[in-house]
Amino acid sequence: MNDDGKALFLQIAEAIEEQIVDGTLGEESQVPSTNELAAFYRINPATAGKGVNMLVDSGVLYKRRGVGMFVAPGARDRVLSDRREAFADRYLEPLLAEAARLGLSADTLTSLIRERAEQHTPQTTEGSPR
């Protein structure tokens, strides 16, 4: 784990979520056990368990008694939805507040975003898809 400012159990939960988002862990896939996670990350099994249980509580994972933890149906969509909401809270709310302070209209703000997005879009050669 590498984020010194974030609790280890949160880092465990985020690592599992990332594997769900990128498709490494699909729906109904078994998730490593808390003991496996603890050994891999060299942390206390209770800490790994706290991260896993957080995902169970949010409906991303579910328990099969005596078998282990599995990715819940719809987990990827749930994680992406939660991440979109967190993105909006973290980035859009301050952006909109500052735009209002500057007197920028929604159209002006949209134009600024489009201009900047184009600067970050890789340029393609003629005939190749964007």
Side-chain angles (χ1 to χ4, degrees), residues 31-67:
V31 177
S33 72
T34 54
N35 287 333
E36 290 170 330
L37 290 168
F40 181 80
Y41 291 112
R42 295 187 174 141
I43 60 172
N44 186 310
T47 302
K50 190 172 179 181
V52 169
N53 286 328
M54 189 177 96
L55 295 176
V56 170
D57 293 343
S58 68
V60 173
L61 301 179
Y62 69 93
K63 297 178 186 180
R64 285 190 195 158
R65 189 174 178 93
V67 180

